[in-house]
Amino acid sequence: MSETTKLPKARLETRFSPKEPLMTKHDAVVEANRCLYCVDAPCIDSCPTSIDIPEFIRRIATGNREGAAKAILEANILGYSCGQVCPTEVLCESTCVFQEMEEEPIRIGELQHYATDNALEENIQFFEAGEPTGQKVALVGAGPASLSCAHRLRRFGHETTIFEAKERPGGLNTDGVAPYKLQADQSLREVEYVRQIGGIDIEYGTKVGEDVTLEELEDEYDAIFIGVGLGADNRLGVDGADLDGVWGAVEFIERLKVEDNFELPDGVDRVCVVGGGNTAIDVVRQMRGLDVDDVMMVYRRDEASMSGYDHEWEGAKKEGARGVWHAQPAEIIGDGQVEALRCRRTRTNDNGELEVVDGSEFDIPCDMIVLAIGQSKLGELFEDVEGLELDWGCVVVDEKTQQTGNAKYFAGGDCVSGGKEVVDAVEEGKVAARSIDAMLQGRDPAEAEDDARPVAVSGY
Amino acid sequence: MPDLSVDFAGIKSPNPFWLASAPPTNSGEQVMRAFDAGWGGAVWKTLGQPIVNVSSRFGSVDYGDRRMIGFNNIELITDRPLEDNFREIEEVKRHYPEHAVIVSLMVETKEEWKDIIQRSIDAGADGLELNFGCPHGMCERGMGSAVGQEPKVCEEITRWAMEYSDVPVIVKLTPNVTDITVPGRAATRGGADALSLINTVKSIIGVNLDEGVIEPKVKNKSSNGGYCGQAVRPIALHMTNQLAQDRQVDIPISGIGGVETWRDALEFIHLGAGTVQVCTAVMHHGYRIVRDMIDGTERFMREKGFETIDEMVGRALPSYDDWGNLDLNHEIIAKIDEDLCIGCQKCVAACHDGAHQCIHVEEGTRVPYIDEAECIGCNLCMYVCPVPDCIKMVEVDNGKDSMTWNEYTAAKERGEDVEHPGKSTHQTHF
Ligand SMILES: Cc1cc2nc3c(=O)[nH]c(=O)nc-3n(C[C@H](O)[C@H](O)[C@H](O)COP(=O)(O)OP(=O)(O)OC[C@H]3O[C@@H](n4cnc5c(N)ncnc54)[C@H](O)[C@@H]3O)c2cc1C
Ligand SMILES: Cc1cc2nc3c(=O)[nH]c(=O)nc-3n(C[C@H](O)[C@H](O)[C@H](O)COP(=O)(O)O)c2cc1C
Ligand code: SF4
């Protein structure tokens, strides 16, 4: 039986309230009725897991909330968290046809949250485990990729065991996503819901490569799914990088989300967040949410070149954050404790390359520096697996099947992509399960049917 | 797992959801796609001597942002050759033996009826539907609603059909009559196996004010059309109920008119319909709406503990009675939830101008209050209120025993000294 992971009560993240609280029934039904129920809807194509969006929204409109949840979870078993953490602005909602009329797109993510919340709350289960096949699959890491994969493998009737280094499941859904989107307890609640299908065992505190070897897994299991995500925050190779007050972004967020009684150190009024991606913006917004006075995003290029989403950065600015552009960290100044971030100016030269301007050093006084300059890759762990290829630390797979160069190994999620969204990890886990099932039955994974796509109702 | 399959007057169908005879059942290719989508049966677009149609044909009532809450058409029966239709019916039945294919018919003479019935049966029809309901065009030629409105003719043609048919015969009625039980009984007397209703309601959908011409326009003219879609559902529900209540009509009923969701379908079933038919909603959204109809119905059945459709057929019928048998001493009043109220005061205008003048506003506040002694419990404010659950109707224990109008007048007649039932307010002094 599934043992429930306990979280400390006094988590700093609980100070945040949801940016998009659960819709009321009235709000949901009004919004659902606004949906045009498009044919061959573009939103479906913009969802990595191809949820039949018009269908689930129609079900909300007709008062069939449970049926709506079913339509969502059929395609995406983590539909509850995705409804809250997905960057819908650049996914499903970005292609809503209302955009063509310059009108507000349907609030698809919020409707998805509304539809699935009740199923989780009431523990309404829609899927049953398949007839036991006697075949066993090991999954490495209990993040979204593995959870999605394991659930579908159970529907096919295969036995699943997940090995998780930490003491809790959910991966970055539990430890990483911004608390105003999803909090750790919600992620754990979802994991419990997913596991209700039965037979998804999780071995906590078991780091593959240390506590159990790949050879042992290979001996005992018929297939292995790699869903380890990414590793620790990259560090900055400059003087002063080890001073007190220099943090890794993911480390900071994880402590904020799951550590008992974690608080920002006293006297932190000015924070520099180094980076230009979504993790950097997340930290910036969280710092503002914790009432840090001056929160600066320090980025070596200009505002327009940031890889983080525009809508997130716009939100950060509204909340009072500011950007320091064309600034390349050169040194961290301080005496035991951070006092300033020394940067050099950059500019784009005639060849379009970024170059540092000589003699342009300047200091940004601050009490804390958070580095959001990427996470390490964990591929190394698998470098001895025969046939399995790595590309800059990412596991290489066949795009259609998620199979690696070693027929027994499949992979998905951030460890393959180098860092995308939860929903991508879910889709890749789902596809991998289908391929694993085909492989275990002696069929060609490339020929496996895509059974989860919305039923084509017509051949218009 | 609830079982949705039905046996409707001998016609078997995997679920009670059928397409009504109309454009969605115009051809074999369409019907097969509909079955793939999940429809249990289809009533083929009415066959008869092929006609020519006009363009345009359809008109719509939009309400605010909602399209097609009411719909009308001046289309006639099939405009395709009979041979093509029969060939396609045969093909559909060959590929979909488990699904119900009912062929709708409309011709004039006894000979024509005999011929077209035979050809339909030869093509493999599981049942026939006699179109006695079309209220535009065809009735000018003495068919359609011209038949449905004449009980004698209705009965006679039904009898012919029964004579020639060895598959179940459904008679489709027009709502364009004052009392639906009259044609209902006539068809029953004629031996019909089942009834279906409603066909469309005679209508003019609107006037184009810029041009001063009725819609839908055919060049610079128009004609009356047949009204359907969500807006007609209450009329159809009423007529279904009337027939289901009538002891002289003891045959199954297929409910039609404004069905768009599983809820709509279940309402018809609760009033005695064994199957439901859909036209406008499919014309609006496509065959795919049936997926939620099936899913929602199954969920409802699981929730309420029903295992078959039959268990629900007519479930709400006992709740219907004559007005004279309703308890006049039952008292409800409106209650406003002050915390939820947003102060729009729509209920104030509604009650003052459209009801009983008993919602008031204290000087200097926006949240109204109800003069409970005066409230007659009409529901108006509750419907007008834009905030869900803000105005609720609550039962009042007035200590009075139940008394209906019929009981009261009977007691009076017997010379008993009875108190007038009901609530006495400033407007009604008994
Ligand atoms: C700060 C931050 C914010 C984000 N915000 C969002 C967001 O708002 N929306 C969104 O869609 N995406 C967001 N993402 C991205 C998203 O979290 C990831 O794409 C997603 O979680 C990837 O899932 P995964 O299963 O591949 O890996 P992970 O979620 O990283 O899970 C991997 C799991 O494997 C375990 N593991 C690692 N190595 C081993 C080992 N050797 N043995 C056993 N277990 C191991 C880890 O402990 C972890 O539990 C965010 C990412 C970050 C860093
Ligand atoms: C365009 C159109 C054509 C129709 N043609 C027929 C027909 O040929 N035969 C028939 O019996 N009813 C016909 N009907 C009536 C429908 O079958 C149905 O009885 C009516 O539309 C009410 O159902 P609805 O509200 O679901 O549309 C037609 C309706 C429409 C809108
Ligand atoms: S719906 Fe089709 S047939 Fe009708 S007017 Fe438009 S294009 Fe023509």
Side-chain angles (χ1 to χ4, degrees), chain A residues 42-234:
Chain A
C43 53
I44 302 179
D45 285 338
S46 309
C47 168
T49 55
S50 306
I51 292 173
D52 191 342
I53 295 163
E55 179 69 22
F56 99 68
I57 294 183
R58 179 169 179 82
R59 291 180 183 197
I60 294 176
T62 72
N64 183 9
R65 186 180 183 183
E66 202 179 303
K70 184 169 139 197
I72 293 162
L73 299 172
E74 173 60 51
N76 178 339
I77 193 63
L78 297 193
Y80 168 77
S81 56
C82 283
Q84 296 166 81
V85 309
C86 270
T88 52
E89 293 85 346
V90 296
L91 295 174
C92 50
E93 292 171 18
S94 72
T95 55
C96 175
V97 297
F98 275 112
Q99 306 263 22
E100 306 279 323
M101 299 196 290
E102 310 282 319
E103 286 181 25
E104 283 296 309
I106 301 296
R107 287 145 61 201
I108 299 171
E110 286 184 70
L111 286 171
Q112 184 170 317
H113 178 198
Y114 173 80
T116 48
D117 185 77
N118 194 49
L120 256 73
E121 199 61 55
E122 307 282 325
N123 192 22
I124 304 164
Q125 291 289 323
F126 302 106
F127 311 104
E128 282 173 13
E131 284 295 314
T133 61
Q135 276 161 317
K136 291 157 62 177
V137 183
L139 301 98
V140 189
S146 289
L147 289 165
S148 161
C149 185
H151 187 268
R152 195 144 292 231
L153 286 169
R154 290 301 299 136
R155 287 178 67 183
F156 291 131
H158 306 303
E159 282 177 40
T160 59
T161 304
I162 301 180
F163 297 90
E164 169 56 54
K166 294 187 176 160
E167 292 300 335
R168 56 185 174 272
L172 288 171
N173 234 1
T174 306
D175 300 342
V177 299
Y180 41 79
K181 294 182 187 164
L182 189 79
Q183 305 208 341
D185 56 313
Q186 292 177 288
S187 169
L188 294 186
R189 187 169 76 139
E190 181 179 49
V191 175
E192 279 316 303
Y193 176 78
V194 171
R195 293 183 68 192
Q196 289 293 315
I197 193 167
I200 302 180
D201 297 325
I202 305 184
E203 302 281 337
Y204 293 111
T206 312
K207 189 164 182 184
V208 172
E210 283 179 17
D211 304 310
V212 57
T213 65
L214 287 173
E215 292 73 45
E216 285 170 309
L217 295 186
E218 280 184 29
D219 282 347
E220 204 175 327
Y221 295 89
D222 301 293
I224 297 167
F225 176 78
I226 304 171
V228 291
L230 298 173
D233 296 289
N234 290 334

Side-chain angles (χ1 to χ4, degrees), chain B residues 132-133 148-149 171-185 195-202 227 232-247 249 251-257 267-273 317 320:
Chain B
F132 294 168
Q149 287 163 338
V171 172
K172 182 167 178 178
L173 300 177
T174 173
N176 301 297
V177 294
T178 34
D179 181 355
I180 196 69
T181 61
V182 174
R185 288 176 185 184
L195 299 173
S196 60
L197 77 169
I198 58 177
N199 208 309
T200 54
V201 183
K202 239 177 192 195
Y227 196 40
V232 306
R233 190 167 59 248
I235 300 170
L237 285 172
H238 162 66
M239 292 187 167
T240 304
N241 174 62
Q242 264 191 309
L243 290 172
Q245 300 283 353
D246 189 348
R247 289 221 179 78
V249 179
I251 50 179
I253 301 167
S254 184
I256 319 170
E267 288 187 28
F268 276 93
I269 289 169
H270 274 61
L271 290 177
L317 288 173
Y320 178 86

Side-chain angles (χ1 to χ4, degrees), chain A residues 21-52:
Chain A
L22 182 65
M23 285 173 136
T24 62
K25 181 178 175 199
H26 180 68
D27 193 10
V29 170
V30 170
E31 185 67 2
N33 274 292
R34 208 164 69 80
C35 172
L36 297 179
Y37 190 41
C38 297
V39 174
D40 194 12
C43 53
I44 302 179
D45 285 338
S46 309
C47 168
T49 55
S50 306
I51 292 173
D52 191 342

Side-chain angles (χ1 to χ4, degrees), chain B residues 56 65-68 106 121 140 143 172 176 179 195 200 210 212 230-231 256 279 285 291 296 298 314 356 407 426:
Chain B
S56 60
D65 208 24
R66 306 299 289 169
R67 297 281 169 137
M68 282 170 66
M106 184 201 287
I121 294 172
E140 295 170 19
M143 292 179 272
K172 182 167 178 178
N176 301 297
D179 181 355
L195 299 173
T200 54
D210 288 334
Q230 299 219 34
I256 319 170
C279 162
H285 302 294
R291 278 171 67 195
E298 280 177 356
H356 212 72
E407 285 164 350
H426 79 279

